[in-house]
Amino acid sequence: RQASYDCWLQYEKIRDHEYYNQYVAYSRGIAVVGDSPILKSALDELERGLFSMFGQKSTVYNEAAKEASIIAGTFESIPLEDYGLNKASLINMNEEGYLLKAVKDEEKIIVAAKSDKGVLYAVHHLLRLLQLRESLKQVNIVESPKNQLRMLNQWDNMDGSVERGYSGQSIFYENHKITTNLERIKDYARLLSSIGINAISINNVNVWKVETKLITNDFLPDVAKIADILRAYGIKTFLSINFASPIEIDGLQTADPLDPDVKTWWKNKVEEIYRYIPDFGGFVVKADSEHRPGPFSYDRNHADGANLLAEALEPFGGLVIWRCFVYNCLQDWRDRSTDRARAAYDHFKPLDGDFLDNVILQIKNGPMDFQVREPVSPLFGALEKTNQMMEFQVAQEYTGQQKDLCFLVPLWKEVLEFDTYAKGEGSKVKNIVNGSLFNDKFSGICAVSNIGNDENWTGNTLAQANLYGYGRLIWNPDLTSEEIAEEWIRSTFGQDPSVVEQIKQMLLDSWSIYENYTAPLGVGWMVNPHHHYGPNIDGYEYSVWGTYHFADRDGIGVDRTIETGTGYAGQYYSPNKEMYNNLETCPDELLLFFHHVPYTYKLKSGKTVIQHIYDTHFKGAEQVEELIEKWNGLRGKIDEIRFVNVSERFQLQLKNAKEWRDQVNTYFYRKSGIADENNRTIY
Ligand code: GCU
C-alpha cells in the first residue's frame, strides 16, 4: 500500500533516538478497559500506531493493570482515584470530551473520557502527540469538541459516480449496489474518527431514482452494514431522501406534507429504517431546490415539509437536516430585480420559529454557492428560534477541483470568525453554529466531502489537508490555520523542518493565489458552465442561474445596495449592513459582490479596479510558477509517488492559471479599452 493511502495516519517509525527513548516505555503495556465496538476501534488504533512507530508489539491488558503504561477507558471503568484524579474536576467536559494526563511520576498516561467515543478521540489525540513529537512527560490535556454535529455529506450516486467528485469513483457504491469493499469504508471511518467527525450522510443530496430506494428493504440491509462499520468509529449514518418518496416508492397519489396518508407513510418508513439501524441519524433533505421535489408543489412551505419528517423521526431521536439552498434556478437574466443571493434569507427568515425541535436548517457559508470569495450568508444570525448548521464544501468545486492547490481552512476560519452583530458585538458565526448564541438544541457544521476511490483518496495529495483541516477546525474553531497546516504536514510528510516550512507556506498562500487568477473582487463565477473548471467570463452571464457580473464597457459588478440595487445588503444587521451598502466602506475583496462600479473606480489599495484586475491576474499566474519551484525543491525529501502526484497537478494548475489570466485580462481590456499601466501582454 502506498504512503498516500494512509494520509495523516502514517505512524512513521520514530528513528530519532531522543524521541524514541522518551516515548518507548509508554508503548510496552497498554490497557483499554471495556470491549464495546468503539473501544475495540480505540485499542486497534492504539496498537497499530504504537507498533508502527516503535517496531514492537505492545502487551495488551483488559483492565487497568499495574504493568500498563497507557490506561484508557471511561470514568466509570478506570479507578481514577488510584491515580490521584478527581472525577468532579472533569464534570465540565462534554459527552465527547476526554482527559489525557501523565500520572505516577510521569510513568503512566491516563486516557479517560465520559463516553467510549471520547476514549477513541483521546487515543487519536495521544497518537497525534507522538506524530508531532510533543513531550508526554507533563501532558495534561482536558479537551471537548466545540461543535455538536461534525458532519460530512457524501455526494455519491449509486452508479458509482460522485457529484462534484475529483478523486475517482465512490467508495460506497458501484453498479447501483452498495459496495462489497467494506475495508475501504472502514479505512475512511478511521481517518474521519481521527479528526473527530461524528456524522455522515452517505448519498448525494440529489436523490435520483435508484437512490430513492435506499430507504427500502432492497438496500437497508446493506446500509445497515455500512452503519455498523461507521458506528464502531463513533460516526452516525444519515441518508439523503427524496421528498417525493411516498409517490415513487409506494405509488401514493401525493407527497403533500399535510396529507394524513403521507404522514402515516413516513411514520412507517422511519420505523422500518430503525429496525435495521437502531441509532440511525436521520434525513438530509434538498427540497424545492434545483428541480428536486418539495412542499411547494402542494402550496405548503418548508416548515410543513421539514416537520412532516421530524414528527416521524422524533420518537427515535432522529434529526431532519433541511437545506436552505433554495432559489429560483430558472431566472431570466433580463430581470435585474431578482437576486439569487437574497433567496435563502427570503425563504427561511419568515419561518423562524415554525420548525420542530429536531429540525436543523443547513445553510451554505455564502449566499451563492461556494465561490472563492463570498460574504457570509446573512441567514446566520437572522434565525433566532431555529436550529441551524453550517455547510462548507471540502470538495473544491469552484476552487480548483483538486487539480489546483487551494487550502480552504483560512476561508472557513474567516467565515466562522465573522461577527454578525445579531445580539450586538461578538455575535460570531462560530458561536451561532456551536449553538451557544441562541441556545439551539442541535447545531454544528457539515461539509461536502472531497474523497473518492483514488489511491490517495483526494486526487491531489495536498487536498488531503482540506479534509484533515476541516475536521480539526470544526472540532476547535480557535485553532489557527498555521497550527492546522503544520499538524497535517508533520503527520503526513514527517519532521524535516525545511519540508514543513515550505509546504506550510504553500498551503497558506494558496487561497489568495487562486483568488488572484480567477474571478476578481468577490464577483464570482466566470467559470465554464456545468463542470465549473476553467474560465468562461460570460459562461453564466445570459443563463437562468442568477449568477451575473454585469460587465459592460463602463464598469462591472452587482448592485446589491438598499437604495439602487437588489437590497441584499439590507439583510445584514448593522453595522455590517451599512459597511457593505456604502461604497466607501465596502471591503475591496467584496466590492463587486455589492456594487457596480466604473473600471476607473479607485480601491482602498489605491489601484483602479481595472488595474487591480490586470495586476492580480499577472501575479496569480506568476505565483503558481513560484509554487512549482518550491515544490521542485522538495524532490528527494518526500517519497517519489506523492511528489510526482502533486507535480502533475501543478502543471495542470499552471495551464489553468494562464488561461484564466489571459481570458480575464483580454476580456476586460476589450470591454474597457483601458490599457495596462505596465504594458504587459494582453491579447
Ligand atoms: C451546486 C452544485 C450542485 C449541487 C448543488 C447543491 O449547485 O454545483 O452539483 O447539487 O450545489 O448544493 O445542492
Side-chain angles (χ1 to χ4, degrees):
R1 211 156 76 180
Q2 293 169 11
S4 62
Y5 185 87
D6 289 322
C7 297
W8 51 88
L9 302 179
Q10 296 290 312
Y11 302 138
E12 216 188 331
K13 177 120 211 283
I14 299 180
R15 292 176 202 284
D16 183 310
H17 292 297
E18 185 199 326
Y19 288 109
Y20 186 89
N21 293 335
Q22 194 192 120
Y23 297 146
V24 68
Y26 295 119
S27 74
R28 297 210 172 102
I30 60 178
V32 175
V33 187
D35 62 357
S36 73
I38 294 182
L39 289 173
K40 281 209 179 93
S41 302
L43 175 61
D44 233 38
E45 204 59 30
L46 192 56
E47 278 193 274
R48 179 200 290 255
L50 295 176
F51 177 71
S52 170
M53 286 188 277
F54 298 100
Q56 61 184 36
K57 269 197 154 15
S58 314
T59 309
V60 177
Y61 305 90
N62 52 17
E63 53 177 25
K66 272 203 311 297
E67 296 81 357
S69 323
I70 296 175
I71 298 169
T74 60
F75 297 158
E76 308 309 324
S77 70
I78 52 180
L80 290 175
E81 305 74 31
D82 291 2
Y83 308 107
L85 298 170
N86 173 353
K87 202 160 92 183
S89 70
L90 302 169
I91 216 75
N92 285 335
M93 196 181 282
N94 69 32
E95 273 312 301
E96 298 174 291
Y98 54 82
L99 166 79
L100 271 182
K101 190 169 166 63
V103 296
K104 299 267 174 197
D105 297 329
E106 300 167 358
E107 276 174 11
K108 287 184 195 293
I109 309 253
I110 298 298
V111 177
K114 272 197 183 164
S115 65
D116 293 354
K117 224 202 270 188
V119 176
L120 176 62
Y121 294 146
V123 161
H124 277 299
H125 194 149
L126 178 64
L127 291 167
R128 184 161 67 240
L129 294 177
L130 292 170
Q131 287 214 103
L132 299 177
R133 306 290 187 264
E134 301 279 345
S135 165
L136 293 188
K137 287 203 165 309
Q138 269 130 44
V139 70
N140 184 7
I141 294 170
V142 180
E143 175 92 11
S144 287
K146 299 269 167 49
N147 289 294
Q148 194 184 31
L149 269 169
R150 302 179 302 280
M151 184 169 194
L152 280 167
N153 294 165
Q154 300 298 138
W155 282 2
D156 296 35
N157 298 314
M158 291 190 71
D159 64 2
S161 65
V162 178
E163 180 149 343
R164 312 305 173 187
Y166 310 107
S167 34
Q169 296 286 103
S170 172
I171 67 163
F172 289 90
Y173 313 101
E174 50 203 332
N175 300 322
H176 297 297
K177 295 211 171 66
I178 289 179
T179 183
T180 49
N181 183 0
L182 297 178
E183 254 331 281
R184 181 113 201 201
I185 292 178
K186 181 174 164 190
D187 287 335
Y188 189 38
R190 287 182 56 223
L191 288 169
L192 297 187
S193 74
S194 76
I195 51 173
I197 299 295
N198 64 5
I200 188 170
S201 58
I202 60 169
N203 63 307
N204 189 1
V205 288
N206 295 313
V207 184
W208 311 118
K209 207 173 163 61
V210 184
E211 293 79 359
T212 297
K213 297 203 170 138
L214 275 171
I215 53 172
T216 68
N217 56 16
D218 288 358
F219 293 115
L220 280 170
D222 287 335
V223 175
K225 284 185 197 152
I226 293 184
D228 288 345
I229 295 173
L230 297 170
R231 182 182 307 111
Y233 288 88
I235 303 166
K236 265 199 181 184
T237 301
F238 288 68
L239 290 170
S240 299
I241 56 101
N242 180 342
F243 194 79
S245 291
I247 302 173
E248 293 197 19
I249 294 174
D250 278 328
L252 266 64
Q253 293 298 306
T254 176
D256 180 348
L258 301 192
D259 183 284
D261 291 342
V262 171
K263 287 188 181 200
T264 308
W265 189 89
W266 279 110
K267 285 218 159 92
N268 293 336
K269 183 45 73 187
V270 166
E271 254 175 53
E272 185 187 352
I273 297 171
Y274 278 87
R275 281 205 292 277
Y276 288 95
I277 309 164
D279 62 344
F280 180 63
F283 297 143
V284 173
V285 194
K286 173 174 180 174
D288 289 316
S289 163
E290 298 183 331
H291 312 295
R292 303 314 300 149
F296 286 170
S297 312
Y298 311 98
D299 260 342
R300 312 294 185 199
N301 67 31
H302 285 278
D304 298 327
N307 291 346
L308 160 77
L309 304 172
E311 269 176 31
L313 286 158
E314 197 276 332
F316 304 91
L319 301 175
V320 179
I321 299 183
W322 190 271
R323 298 177 82 231
C324 295
F325 187 59
V326 178
Y327 67 98
N328 177 3
C329 65
L330 290 173
Q331 198 181 318
D332 184 344
W333 60 267
R334 299 165 192 84
D335 161 21
R336 295 285 282 253
S337 64
T338 305
D339 180 5
R340 170 167 165 182
R342 294 188 55 117
Y345 183 105
D346 285 344
H347 280 293
F348 287 93
K349 168 76 183 166
L351 301 176
D352 190 18
D354 293 350
F355 293 90
L356 290 176
D357 249 16
N358 58 330
V359 176
I360 312 179
L361 296 187
Q362 173 168 318
I363 307 166
K364 286 193 182 184
N365 64 271
M368 296 299 277
D369 197 4
F370 303 132
Q371 300 300 291
V372 67
R373 175 77 65 176
E374 283 185 49
V376 169
S377 169
L379 207 45
F380 291 109
L383 297 172
E384 300 174 18
K385 292 170 284 188
T386 306
N387 299 317
Q388 56 201 289
M389 68 193 289
M390 170 68 70
E391 177 176 347
F392 287 132
Q393 195 183 40
V394 188
Q396 291 170 243
E397 177 177 359
Y398 294 99
T399 50
Q401 304 199 349
Q402 288 147 242
K403 298 184 178 81
D404 304 29
L405 179 62
C406 193
F407 181 54
L408 292 166
V409 172
L411 185 163
W412 299 327
K413 258 198 97 72
E414 262 190 39
V415 172
L416 293 171
E417 290 298 326
F418 181 74
D419 195 344
T420 66
Y421 288 89
K423 280 186 162 183
E425 199 176 345
S427 308
K428 292 190 174 183
V429 170
K430 67 179 176 188
N431 298 327
I432 295 172
V433 299
N434 73 13
S436 65
L437 195 75
F438 295 114
N439 234 324
D440 293 327
K441 185 162 175 202
F442 298 107
S443 59
I445 303 184
C446 71
V448 184
S449 178
N450 67 345
I451 67 107
N453 71 354
D454 278 1
E455 172 78 13
N456 70 355
W457 302 87
T458 55
N460 186 337
T461 298
L462 295 184
Q464 292 174 0
N466 282 329
L467 184 58
Y468 180 86
Y470 167 69
R472 295 288 294 134
L473 181 69
I474 68 170
W475 176 278
N476 178 8
D478 294 326
L479 291 172
T480 66
S481 301
E482 289 78 2
E483 283 168 324
I484 292 174
E486 178 151 351
E487 278 183 7
W488 176 74
I489 300 161
R490 287 159 61 131
S491 311
T492 305
F493 289 112
Q495 312 300 321
D496 180 340
S498 65
V499 173
V500 174
E501 274 317 302
Q502 192 74 286
I503 299 182
K504 188 159 83 177
Q505 213 44 60
M506 294 172 70
L507 291 178
L508 293 174
D509 291 344
S510 60
W511 174 34
S512 131
I513 294 174
Y514 190 81
E515 183 176 24
N516 279 343
Y517 62 77
T518 56
L521 299 166
V523 76
W525 307 97
M526 301 190 172
V527 291
N528 280 307
H530 311 302
H531 63 74
H532 299 164
Y533 189 73
N536 187 340
I537 319 303
D538 283 338
Y540 277 113
E541 196 58 16
Y542 306 101
S543 75
V544 292
W545 296 96
T547 49
Y548 316 117
H549 56 66
F550 298 125
D552 59 21
R553 65 176 189 173
D554 301 316
I556 176 178
V558 191
D559 185 350
R560 293 192 162 106
T561 63
I562 299 164
E563 296 76 13
T564 56
T566 68
Y568 167 79
Q571 293 183 339
Y572 291 89
Y573 288 91
S574 296
N576 291 333
K577 183 194 302 212
E578 292 77 14
M579 171 186 64
Y580 289 137
N581 195 57
N582 183 335
L583 190 53
E584 273 72 59
T585 52
C586 183
D588 281 353
E589 71 272 13
L590 285 169
L591 187 79
L592 302 182
F593 194 94
F594 285 97
H595 298 275
H596 185 91
V597 296
Y599 295 112
T600 50
Y601 178 79
K602 263 224 170 96
L603 298 171
K604 285 170 201 64
S605 69
K607 284 184 187 171
T608 60
V609 166
I610 190 74
Q611 196 56 42
H612 172 95
I613 293 176
Y614 295 151
D615 287 353
T616 49
H617 283 77
F618 283 115
K619 184 171 169 199
E622 273 166 31
Q623 287 174 305
V624 176
E625 288 179 356
E626 287 161 24
L627 285 176
I628 293 175
E629 237 170 75
K630 286 185 180 153
W631 187 253
N632 286 340
L634 299 175
R635 183 155 224 157
K637 294 183 176 179
I638 62 180
D639 64 280
E640 190 65 8
I641 292 176
R642 289 187 291 180
F643 177 83
V644 170
N645 164 271
V646 174
S647 291
E648 286 170 0
R649 303 281 159 153
F650 272 137
Q651 290 310 320
L652 300 172
Q653 178 170 6
L654 184 60
K655 196 163 160 238
N656 190 38
K658 286 180 175 166
E659 207 53 43
W660 271 97
R661 175 195 66 194
D662 293 338
Q663 288 202 30
V664 169
N665 284 344
T666 302
Y667 180 97
F668 288 104
Y669 174 62
R670 289 182 186 173
K671 276 260 146 120
S672 71
I674 301 172
D676 169 32
E677 281 170 7
N678 297 316
N679 263 326
R680 288 162 291 194
T681 308
I682 296 179
Y683 298 88

